[in-house]
Amino acid sequence: MKKISNPPIAKKIAKSLITHGDERIDNYFWLNDRENSEVIEYLNAENAYTQSVMKPTEDFQKSLFEEMKARIKEDDESVPYFYNGYWYITRYETGKDYPIYTRKEGSLEAEENIMFDCNIMAKKHKYFKLGGISISPDNTMAAFSIDTVSRRQYTIQVKNLKTGKLHPNKIKNTTGGCTWASDNETIFYSVKDPVTLRACKIFKHNINEKASEDIEVFHETDETFNAFVYKTKSRKYIVIGSSSTLTSEYRILPADNPDGEFKMFHQRERGLEYAIAHYNDAFYIITNNDNAINFKLQKTPELATEKTHWKDVIPHRPDVLVEDIEIFQHYYVLNERIQGLNKLRIISWDGNEDYYLPFDSETYTAYLGNNPEFNSDVLRYGYNAMTTPSSVMEFDFKTKTNVVLKEQDVLGDFNKENYTSERIWATARDGEKIPMSVVHKKGLKKDGKNPLLLYAYGSYGSTIDPYFSTIRLSLLDRGFIYVIAHIRGGEYLGRDWYENGKLLKKENTFFDFIDCSKYLIEEQYTSRKHLYANGGSAGGLLMGAVINMNPELYHGVVAAVPFVDVVTTMLDDSIPLTTGEYDEWGNPNDEVYYRYMKSYSPYDNVTAQDYPNLLVTTGIHDSQVQYWEPAKWVAKLRDLKTDSNNLLLHVDMHTGHGGASGRFESLKEVALEYAFLLDLEGITQ
């Protein structure tokens, strides 16, 4: 990696921020203005600096890109699924970045009808994302949405699938999803607050009328809640949901009565979470009601939905986390998690059958697939492991047979027998056992000399399951070990695992990651000279926290779209997501939470010390973590750090939180990250 003597230095303009009598001086607050030409000039200077430092790796980046791209089957298509008389298929064509959405009526042998060719739709845009597609009950129309900015503000339109013509109405600033009433004329959709981007209103639109005449049917005024709308799988009800981190509430309306009034399912109670599924004359409810920490399944009559009527179907079990339910005509399937592992439990409505699908590996991922058809005798589900490509499976309820509908094609000389995976456990400083999923090439010796990339997320109860990646092979084949740390803050080991990694226990997340790092070094999987860390978004916060606490453990770190200015962001309720995050991080308007947040906030705790080599990435249009957080963080690190290690900021000036659109363009970002890591190891090809 080329050493550049003069990296960009952001000017300092002291901004005094006083909360609870405590003053923080933010010298880089001025970067919070994307309309300021000086801000753009600084970001461009950082990009130029990163490009100059990484210039010796440009050819390597290109070869990595081509290598990763070459493993992808370009002329690929999804497994067809059947819904309401049609087979739906998403396919890709060689050399093209975007999907083509098609369908066939009645039979897979029928003529293909192209609904949307995203390659054509994306031509005039630097960023393009097709949001949800919702087909009308009579199959003649499709409501769809697009985002061409990467700020997750979608515009909804309706296309006539018979004529190919678009309805003139455009509904702007939506979440992208919508659902049809039974009349084939009415759609319900959610709208975002134009400033905070919080989904706060549900509207009703008649496709034959102007969007300006749409009727507001629900307004969520609590700034900690988000609103959404969908139709039950039974197709009988339109459901408006409203949820915060800790609380749920639903309203229901018969889909054949779109002009009716929505009925409250059960009024919100702080701390009560529930999700509903309709079957025959009842609703089935996954809920934490009655202190069911890991959730349970309850049932209530469809005409008596208040909590007093809810009855247990599957009682709470302290060692089993209930995550999801899929309902069919003769069976229902629960997605459960036991000791971190996914389990699919199949139960017949008559109670005569109750069993789990068998899975053998200890580092696999299994999940409910696309099962839109209620009158089906087969379960579609997905399976993969760290050494096994993704498969789409189909299980027949009647014959009890499994069929592999499709296994992900990995082109080239890939052989899964060349790799091995395991699950290991580190002991955290408070005695908890922290699981890690590990994958590497066979024959590797634990001698402390192996480069190792440790990844984690650790927030929102989001579980990072051990999964297969064709991209990751570019590291494994060059001798890297890849490890996922299932740290607290996720739900890998149940709801308590999440509760003990949030709010005033958030530091457990950071300590777990550090203790996993130390374990990997002690057991000679790697050493400090060869240990690397990676996390994005809230996982970027994790990266910022651990390198403040124990920078000496890591040779290099990649922090993607990192949430690092925790206190300032959580005090600004005009920023997207802030108010809805109080139950995750705490509300700093409360001094207890303010002090605790400040104690770990990466930006506030940058100090004069040595830091690892660091690559930070962000997008100018990021709606989840605003670009100025990583920009300010890098500026402060550059001012205070005492080492000569690389500190690089890469700002995508066209995209947001998810990075580049298109299946190949995003690989260039990965190639940059991998080249950064591999170059630090002296691996240049």
Side-chain angles (χ1 to χ4, degrees), residues 134 143 177-181 186-189 229-232 237-239:
S134 183
C178 63
T179 192
W180 291 85
T186 307
I187 59 173
F188 293 86
Y189 61 92
V229 63
Y230 66 94
K231 185 186 288 185
T232 58
Y237 289 98
I238 304 292
V239 181

Side-chain angles (χ1 to χ4, degrees), residues 49-314:
Y49 175 68
T50 296
Q51 186 175 10
S52 66
V53 173
M54 295 298 293
K55 189 170 183 60
T57 72
E58 281 185 356
D59 289 343
F60 190 26
Q61 288 181 54
K62 290 176 183 177
S63 66
L64 284 169
F65 169 77
E66 293 298 336
E67 176 181 298
M68 291 184 285
K69 181 181 176 183
R71 295 192 193 102
I72 299 172
K73 188 173 186 290
E74 293 199 38
D75 56 336
D76 202 7
E77 65 178 39
S78 66
V79 177
Y81 70 88
F82 188 76
Y83 178 69
N84 198 25
Y86 284 78
W87 287 96
Y88 289 86
I89 303 167
T90 303
R91 60 179 178 83
Y92 288 89
E93 294 182 348
T94 300
K96 296 183 178 180
D97 250 325
Y98 294 95
I100 301 168
Y101 293 92
T102 74
R103 68 176 186 173
K104 298 180 178 182
E105 186 174 5
S107 166
L108 287 171
E109 307 306 316
E111 182 182 356
E112 177 188 75
N113 170 243
I114 295 177
M115 299 185 295
F116 301 99
D117 186 338
C118 295
N119 299 286
I120 296 173
M121 298 169 74
K123 274 187 176 178
K124 297 180 180 179
H125 306 287
K126 291 182 177 178
Y127 177 91
F128 179 85
K129 178 74 172 179
L130 183 72
I133 300 173
S134 183
I135 307 297
S136 62
D138 66 1
N139 291 308
T140 63
M141 288 166 289
F144 68 100
S145 61
I146 60 172
D147 172 15
T148 57
V149 177
S150 186
R151 209 154 157 78
R152 303 187 183 184
Q153 292 173 283
Y154 289 86
T155 297
I156 293 175
Q157 284 188 268
V158 175
K159 181 177 183 178
N160 187 311
L161 295 176
K162 287 188 173 181
T163 65
K165 293 183 178 179
L166 295 178
H167 283 238
N169 289 312
K170 292 185 177 181
I171 307 171
K172 297 182 178 180
N173 193 36
T174 78
T175 59
C178 63
T179 192
W180 291 85
S182 301
D183 63 359
N184 300 295
E185 294 184 350
T186 307
I187 59 173
F188 293 86
Y189 61 92
S190 52
V191 167
K192 293 189 169 187
D193 181 287
V195 176
T196 67
L197 303 188
R198 180 176 68 92
C200 58
K201 294 181 179 180
I202 305 297
F203 278 84
K204 177 173 61 176
H205 170 71
N206 186 298
I207 62 172
N208 300 311
E209 298 176 1
K210 295 180 180 178
S212 59
E213 298 175 4
D214 289 358
I215 298 170
E216 180 184 310
V217 296
F218 177 68
H219 182 192
E220 178 51 74
T221 57
D222 188 325
E223 293 182 345
T224 66
F225 280 72
N226 287 280
F228 51 94
V229 63
Y230 66 94
K231 185 186 288 185
T232 58
K233 185 175 177 178
S234 66
R235 308 180 200 174
K236 186 173 181 179
Y237 289 98
I238 304 292
V239 181
I240 291 177
S242 193
S243 66
S244 68
T245 304
L246 295 175
T247 307
S248 313
E249 181 181 77
Y250 293 91
R251 291 166 170 80
I252 57 175
L253 175 72
D256 59 4
N257 183 27
D259 294 325
E261 295 290 327
F262 280 85
K263 169 185 174 289
M264 179 69 73
F265 190 91
H266 178 74
Q267 195 163 15
R268 69 189 65 175
E269 297 177 18
R270 179 165 174 77
L272 176 66
E273 298 176 67
Y274 68 97
I276 60 176
H278 178 254
Y279 173 71
N280 283 353
D281 58 355
F283 280 94
Y284 287 78
I285 308 152
I286 294 177
T287 178
N288 65 350
N289 185 27
D290 302 321
N291 296 313
I293 295 173
N294 275 335
F295 294 80
K296 62 180 178 178
L297 182 65
Q298 294 194 295
K299 174 184 178 181
T300 194
E302 65 179 340
L303 300 179
T305 60
E306 289 296 318
K307 192 177 71 172
T308 53
H309 302 286
W310 299 2
K311 303 296 181 185
D312 282 3
V313 177
I314 304 291

Side-chain angles (χ1 to χ4, degrees), residues 376-390:
S376 175
D377 290 322
V378 294
L379 168 71
R380 184 79 58 87
Y381 69 97
Y383 175 87
N384 70 86
M386 297 187 84
T387 59
T388 305
S390 300

Side-chain angles (χ1 to χ4, degrees), residues 524-556:
Q524 292 198 294
Y525 282 88
T526 189
S527 64
R528 295 181 181 190
K529 292 182 179 180
H530 301 288
L531 178 57
Y532 301 90
N534 174 222
S537 195
L541 160 65
L542 171 67
M543 296 298 101
V546 301
I547 64 172
N548 280 336
M549 295 173 179
N550 287 91
E552 77 285 353
L553 291 177
Y554 310 97
H555 187 45

